[in-house]
Amino acid sequence: MSTKVMKKTILSVIAASMLAISIPVAQHTSAAAFKDVPASHWAKTAIEQAVANGYFKGYADGTFKPGAQVTRAEFAVLLDRVSTNPTNGATVQFNDLNGNWSEAGVKDVAVKGFITSADYPNGFKPATPLTRKEMAKWMTSGLAAADTDYQQAVSDTAETVVPVAEYFKKTLSKSDYPYVSVVLGTGLMSGYADGTFGPSKTTTRAEAAVILMRFADVQKQKADNFTGLKELRAVGKTGTNMEVITPFNSGVTSFKNVQGKKMNYRYGAGSTSLNYLIFVDARDWKNKKSIYASAFVSDTDKNALEKSNFRIYTNQDIYPEMQGFALDQYMSSFVPMLAAGAAIRNELPEKFGYDTLPFVNAKSVFNKYLGDPNGMNIWTRNYISASDPKSIYVVADGSSFAILK
């Protein structure tokens, strides 16, 4: 072989090697041939659909790598392929993307409204594994950019109750409530079996394939099509999901008028205020209605009352002001049913991280909050008749809330 031919061959090999390095995903697109996605794989159908639609591609060695982490760059490019959002004409600059394989896709998805450069002041860092919190924010922002009702949903859920452990344990940033709410409410993402959402966890390629197929469907629908999101919005705006889950109404009153306002116990024992009323329809035990059911209703709870009643889960603050404050004072006859619930006696308060009414050593528990201006925050349970729900709650300043049918 001549020296000239040898040099040409070496250059060709080097060029081919550099090309393989620069393209992170090869042009292998037959999902049925992925040797690491067997028929029993939980995400096989979604992976096949995502590949068939051109969202994902496999690797040259015939694998899909379903368990590999998805990076910021990869998910941005994937969203760009799935999204039907128009571009807004703006320009987005990430200096650390210059020459990166994902540069065009990241910039494109950014001008479609999914990504904000202000969130990445120190660079996009494309190879960084994408967190679930980022994923939730990107998808929610993209939906809001395309539809003003999703934009309104973001606003509506700023003060909602998010049914994940991080919310109750106060480890979920309040600024993230809307993004987690929208992805939970539309079914784009779900929590884990332990009750957490896992904001800092990363996502695998298999999980991303499932989520992208969901997003392809959700972006075609209105925010009002999703009952779970309607509940989360209602709780954020009014403090209750009553009119979403039940046939009841509040007439000319509104729970918002009494939310957080104090009602006094008798004999100066203290006071209480209601913050949220969460309704769950468990009349069909196998098909419980409410996005909040998993946070409050356990399989150990089933009883005869389910058949003709709705469950109510009440968040309230209790302000003991009398030495010896106990359950007798809490159950004061001066306080209506909604403000005198029962303890949630299942595993969920511990699992999700919220307090319920003490039923052991209650007096000593209440005593810890004697004179505390912040009060004792708890969740309690109650029932209300499906056929005759009439109930009226009146607070100290005369404001009222009624449950009517």
Side-chain angles (χ1 to χ4, degrees):
M1 181 183 292
S2 68
T3 303
K4 184 176 182 180
V5 172
M6 185 178 292
K7 287 182 177 179
K8 184 175 182 181
T9 302
I10 292 172
L11 288 172
S12 297
V13 171
I14 293 173
S17 299
M18 290 182 68
L19 182 62
I21 293 170
S22 65
I23 301 176
V25 182
Q27 301 296 315
H28 182 76
T29 59
S30 176
F34 293 140
K35 55 190 178 185
D36 57 350
V37 185
S40 59
H41 194 283
W42 68 273
K44 181 177 176 61
T45 299
I47 290 171
E48 289 179 342
Q49 291 175 335
V51 171
N53 288 353
Y55 306 150
F56 264 106
K57 297 172 186 176
Y59 291 85
D61 62 358
T63 63
F64 182 77
K65 295 182 172 47
Q69 289 181 326
V70 171
T71 66
R72 288 175 180 168
E74 288 169 339
F75 198 71
V77 171
L78 291 168
L79 274 179
D80 188 34
R81 293 172 183 164
V82 176
S83 172
T84 57
N85 282 22
T87 56
N88 58 22
T91 57
V92 178
Q93 184 66 38
F94 293 108
N95 292 331
D96 61 344
L97 283 179
N98 294 336
N100 187 275
W101 70 270
S102 66
E103 182 178 8
V106 173
K107 289 182 177 180
D108 198 34
V109 83
V111 297
K112 288 181 177 180
F114 289 84
I115 301 172
T116 302
S117 57
D119 288 341
Y120 302 97
N122 299 316
F124 187 68
K125 299 180 181 179
T128 302
L130 184 77
T131 65
R132 283 169 57 84
K133 180 173 74 171
E134 287 177 295
M135 181 178 281
K137 185 171 185 178
W138 287 12
M139 291 191 295
T140 298
S141 298
L143 291 170
D147 189 326
T148 54
D149 197 27
Y150 281 106
Q151 186 176 352
Q152 184 61 48
V154 170
S155 175
D156 292 344
T157 51
E159 301 289 340
T160 197
V161 174
V162 189
V164 294
E166 291 90 350
Y167 168 84
F168 294 105
K169 294 177 180 179
K170 295 180 170 50
T171 58
L172 181 67
S173 172
K174 192 170 182 180
S175 62
D176 292 325
Y177 287 7
Y179 309 120
V180 177
S181 292
V182 170
V183 296
L184 290 177
T186 57
L188 279 170
M189 298 174 73
S190 57
Y192 291 100
D194 64 358
T196 65
F197 179 75
S200 62
K201 288 186 177 181
T202 55
T203 306
T204 65
R205 281 168 58 84
E207 291 169 332
V210 172
I211 290 169
L212 283 171
M213 292 310 303
R214 291 173 182 166
F215 186 84
D217 179 61
V218 170
Q219 69 179 342
K220 300 174 186 175
Q221 301 189 55
K222 294 293 184 182
D224 210 38
N225 288 355
F226 300 97
T227 301
L229 184 53
K230 288 174 69 174
E231 286 185 78
L232 290 159
R233 294 175 70 175
V235 171
K237 290 189 300 181
T238 70
T240 180
N241 62 341
M242 181 181 77
E243 295 191 19
V244 178
I245 290 299
T246 77
F248 310 150
N249 67 82
S250 57
V252 297
T253 68
S254 168
F255 182 72
K256 195 70 177 175
N257 292 339
V258 301
Q259 187 179 27
K261 294 182 178 180
K262 289 185 177 181
M263 169 177 279
N264 298 322
Y265 293 117
R266 58 184 174 180
Y267 308 134
S271 59
T272 186
S273 62
L274 301 190
N275 304 312
Y276 296 102
L277 291 182
I278 305 296
F279 288 73
V280 176
D281 182 0
R283 291 176 298 172
D284 180 354
W285 190 255
K286 294 182 179 180
N287 184 30
K288 302 177 188 67
K289 296 180 176 63
S290 177
I291 196 169
Y292 292 100
S294 63
F296 297 114
V297 186
S298 168
D299 285 340
T300 63
D301 291 340
K302 186 178 181 181
N303 59 56
L305 292 173
E306 306 296 345
K307 295 182 179 180
S308 57
N309 295 281
F310 286 93
R311 284 174 171 264
I312 306 179
Y313 294 89
T314 305
N315 179 251
Q316 63 184 132
D317 291 316
I318 301 173
Y319 303 91
E321 296 174 12
M322 181 181 76
Q323 286 287 348
F325 187 97
L327 290 177
D328 286 345
Q329 283 68 44
Y330 172 80
M331 300 298 294
S332 168
S333 60
F334 280 17
V335 178
M337 179 197 73
L338 291 177
I344 301 173
R345 296 196 181 194
N346 57 35
E347 76 284 3
L348 296 178
E350 182 177 359
K351 177 179 178 178
F352 280 83
Y354 56 83
D355 292 322
T356 188
L357 190 69
F359 51 89
V360 177
N361 299 322
K363 189 177 293 186
S364 62
V365 174
F366 284 125
N367 190 58
K368 295 177 183 177
Y369 296 90
L370 191 65
D372 187 337
N374 295 316
M376 174 185 178
N377 184 263
I378 61 170
W379 285 89
T380 63
R381 63 172 175 83
N382 223 315
Y383 291 92
I384 192 164
S385 170
S387 59
D388 186 24
K390 292 178 183 176
S391 180
I392 298 178
Y393 177 75
V394 182
V395 294
D397 71 357
S399 303
S400 63
F401 167 70
I403 300 178
L404 309 168
K405 187 175 181 181

